[in-house]
């Protein structure tokens, strides 16, 4: 938590997590409407899943869960209309592009009117990679096991279905 | 689906599933308010989890997920006030009793003003056990991998957070 008194929620998300995509698409206006500061916390699920014995996404490890997830995602996106989506998520999940490819990321960055080479060089810098690894360790220490997870103090809220609960908690409601 | 035209939802639940308990406690009035027939479908998660390589509940296999689940359950129950709960779930989760014990079940049945010996003899009959195994096979064939799961036609809705979606689907909303 920050030193000031304004309520805040940490939004832990993963660019390879479909449900992070849906939550990212709706959380900003909801947090604003609730008067809650939103802190974006990127992290990696890979090392957390590996610790659980998975070498892949649970949606691939458990095919029934994977089939369900894609159907559920299709319904959620249709129901929400996704009034906006962040570029990297959209590229991966709405447009089927591989965000592991440097060229894909360069095109996304260019579409946001930023300089691809400068942004990619920064993203690939050792201190940034170390920060992401550190964030992932922090996520693990907090008990995070999936994404998205919202954190208020030491309370975890797993999944987009808990956004309102997390915002209520942050406001002391 | 039945032959008649009234909208219906199959509610697949497990007595050892904490989230089945919460959903069971709230689903009946919601289905009634939506004008949707509710069909209670007990099944066993054990054989389904075994197929996924788990010898225990995922809440035990993955301790971080288990810790989260108990905290989330405490919050959900507090928020909902649980205006009613079915006796076996309540005994297991609210009162910490072992519903695998015959004496526990006999006491629960007696509290419902039924004859424990007659009900238990029926529950232990071969045709009832076969029916439960059959239901579990059917759940697996439907693609069910957790509980509760609501089924409308061939659409699955996993978890108590999808109750309204399932009822909307059943009504063609």
């Amino acid at each position: 938590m920050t030193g000031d008194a304004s309520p805040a929620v940490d939004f832990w998300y993963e660019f390879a997590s479909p449900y992070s995509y849906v939550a990212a698409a709706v959380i900003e206006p909801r947090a604003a409407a609730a008067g809650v500061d939103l802190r974006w916390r990127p992290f990696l699920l890979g090392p957390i899943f590996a610790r659980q014995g998975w070498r892949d996404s649970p949606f691939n490890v458990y095919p029934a869960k994977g089939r369900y997830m894609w159907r559920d995602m299709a319904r959620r996106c249709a129901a929400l209309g996704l009034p906006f989506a962040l570029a990297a998520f959209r590229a991966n999940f709405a447009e089927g592009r591989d965000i592991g490819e440097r060229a894909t990321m360069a095109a996304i960055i260019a579409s946001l009117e930023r300089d691809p080479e400068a942004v990619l060089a920064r993203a690939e810098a050792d201190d940034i990679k170390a920060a992401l690894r550190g964030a992932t360790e922090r996520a693990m220490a907090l008990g995070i096991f999936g994404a998205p997870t919202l954190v208020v103090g030491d309370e975890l809220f797993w999944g987009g279905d808990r956004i309102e609960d997390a915002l209520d908690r942050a406001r002391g409601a």
Side-chain angles (χ1 to χ4, degrees), chain A:
Chain A
M1 310 296 286
T2 53
D4 66 0
S6 68
V9 164
D10 289 314
F11 176 61
W12 291 81
Y13 64 98
E14 228 282 7
F15 281 112
S17 150
Y19 286 108
S20 289
Y21 161 64
V22 174
V26 301
I27 197 168
E28 192 98 51
R30 292 194 193 169
V36 171
D37 284 346
L38 191 63
R39 295 186 296 222
W40 293 73
R41 303 281 191 227
F43 75 113
L44 299 175
L45 275 172
I48 291 175
F49 287 165
R51 192 84 53 109
Q52 295 179 184
W54 302 335
R55 288 162 165 240
D56 197 350
S57 157
F59 299 127
N60 295 327
V61 175
Y62 305 111
K65 188 172 240 177
R67 279 189 297 274
Y68 173 80
M69 178 276 289
W70 285 112
R71 181 68 193 131
D72 189 51
M73 281 288 293
R75 291 187 307 229
R76 305 304 288 174
C77 291
L80 293 167
L82 283 189
F84 74 97
L86 301 188
F89 281 130
R90 189 171 51 212
N92 196 4
F93 294 111
E95 298 168 12
R97 290 152 68 192
D98 182 355
I99 59 171
E101 293 281 332
R102 210 172 187 279
T104 303
M105 291 309 296
I108 292 169
I109 296 162
S111 78
L112 297 170
E113 293 174 19
R114 300 290 184 87
D115 173 14
E117 278 314 310
V119 171
L120 284 171
R122 192 74 197 99
E124 289 161 349
D126 284 345
D127 62 321
I128 294 289
K129 289 185 178 176
L132 183 57
R133 277 194 297 269
T136 301
E137 288 295 324
R138 200 140 44 93
M140 224 175 299
L142 285 167
I144 289 173
F145 54 88
T149 295
L150 297 117
V151 182
V152 182
D154 58 359
E155 292 282 324
L156 305 188
F157 298 85
W158 179 41
D161 298 308
R162 295 288 182 274
I163 289 175
E164 299 308 323
D165 288 356
L167 294 175
D168 284 349
R169 182 83 183 193
R171 290 183 305 169

